[in-house]
Amino acid sequence: MTKREFLEHCLNTYGTTPDCPFSDDFETAVLRHKDNRKWYALLMKLSRRKFGVDSDEVIDVVNVKVPMELSCSFGVEDGVYPAYHMNKLHWVSVLLPDAPEDVVRFLVSVSFELTEQKKKRVQNK
């Protein structure tokens, strides 16, 4: 999946567009919920070397939030690594050129659900 395809998926599925919160970095983008402003994805360009690969190729990587029990369910063969520069128990890095499209779509949907505003329960009287 390309960066463009990923962003189109987020727009079409979740109605969100990226924003660049870092004043000196227009490559890194955050995808947030409209209501609570929480991040559900962080899109950035990184060298493959950051993931232990002997290559200086710079690729598009997206960090997404996952439940702890899911963080070890994917691996290098899926294009999924422990998160770069974030909590590795709760976030994973997905290398967009390497990950199958269904894996990317699944993981971003999990992240979106985990970070959405919790609905208040109405108590019956």
Side-chain angles (χ1 to χ4, degrees):
M1 179 177 274
T2 66
K3 176 181 180 177
R4 178 185 213 141
E5 291 167 337
F6 176 77
L7 292 173
E8 284 176 6
H9 170 71
C10 292
L11 176 62
N12 295 334
T13 306
Y14 309 109
T16 56
T17 56
D19 70 67
C20 300
F22 309 111
S23 60
D24 60 340
D25 179 1
F26 297 104
E27 288 286 337
T28 302
V30 172
L31 290 149
R32 309 171 187 261
H33 288 271
K34 291 178 181 177
D35 55 359
N36 65 12
R37 306 290 295 153
K38 283 188 179 180
W39 298 10
Y40 70 89
L42 171 65
L43 185 62
M44 56 198 145
K45 287 198 168 291
L46 293 171
S47 166
R48 286 187 179 274
R49 197 167 299 283
K50 299 280 187 193
F51 301 96
V53 178
D54 188 19
S55 170
D56 290 321
E57 179 187 13
V58 175
I59 58 170
D60 291 310
V61 175
V62 64
N63 281 2
V64 291
K65 189 169 188 173
V66 294
M68 286 191 315
E69 59 272 9
L70 192 62
S71 64
C72 297
S73 300
F74 295 91
V76 176
E77 65 279 353
D78 300 307
V80 179
Y81 291 77
Y84 171 75
H85 203 57
M86 292 180 90
N87 184 316
K88 291 167 182 32
L89 289 176
H90 300 285
W91 293 79
V92 293
S93 288
V94 182
L95 282 56
L96 288 179
D98 300 352
E101 190 171 316
D102 61 328
V103 169
V104 176
R105 288 175 184 260
F106 172 74
L107 289 173
V108 76
S109 105
V110 167
S111 185
F112 188 86
E113 288 177 23
L114 281 174
T115 55
E116 70 185 340
Q117 190 167 358
K118 304 297 182 231
K119 310 283 190 267
K120 291 186 179 179
R121 291 177 48 173
V122 177
Q123 292 181 336
N124 293 333
K125 291 184 179 187

